[in-house]
Every structure is written in structure tokens, then in C-alpha cells.
Amino acid sequence: MGAIGAVFQPELIELMKAVLDDAAAMLPEAKRTSTMKAEIASHILACAAKGERNPTALKIAALSAVVECTHYSHDISLERRAV
């Protein structure tokens, strides 16, 4: 993890954890995998490293990045068909 080189204050770490939990809670249950959470966390870290501190902005950035790279809408329609 030393590659990032950013040092986060304890308050910011708590904020990022809360944002991660919020973001994960917005995903359909089937999508709440450790891989997906790790993906969201990496986007939150990247935004925080650039200086973003607004929890809503961090959550939106993380979720939109995950949605784009997983073709979310296709997954949901397939899921619905499977039900």
C-alpha cells in the first residue's frame, strides 16, 4: 500500500470507512462482494488523496466509477430475468 504515499488522519480514515459503508449499502445485495467493496474503497482513497473531503462527493465518485466499470445496468437486467 506504500505506493500511494498518502498519509491520512484518523478522522479522514473514519470518514472514508463511513463513505464505503454507505456506498456499499446502496448496491444490490448480490453486488456487495469483498471485491466490489475493495473497488469502491480504491476510488474513495484516490479521491481523498486528491484532497476531496466531502462525504457525498466521495460516495458519488466511488459509485459512479464502479457503475461504469461493471456495466451495472446490464447486470441488473440479467438479475431480474433470473428471478
Side-chain angles (χ1 to χ4, degrees):
M1 288 276 271
I4 295 177
V7 177
F8 296 113
Q9 299 301 315
E11 306 81 49
L12 180 57
I13 292 169
E14 286 304 311
L15 171 78
M16 291 189 294
K17 276 188 191 162
V19 170
L20 174 60
D21 290 342
D22 277 0
M26 295 178 76
L27 296 171
E29 208 168 328
K31 295 273 166 226
R32 288 182 216 155
T33 62
S34 54
T35 306
M36 186 64 82
K37 283 183 89 169
E39 186 70 27
I40 293 170
S42 72
H43 290 292
I44 292 169
L45 282 167
C47 286
K50 290 179 199 155
E52 182 58 69
R53 296 293 180 266
N54 181 320
T56 306
L58 288 168
K59 184 165 66 175
I60 290 168
L63 282 172
S64 60
V66 170
V67 166
E68 280 166 29
C69 68
T70 56
H71 303 292
Y72 203 143
S73 55
H74 301 300
D75 291 347
I76 288 177
S77 55
L78 287 174
E79 227 170 76
R80 284 208 186 114
R81 272 184 246 142
V83 169

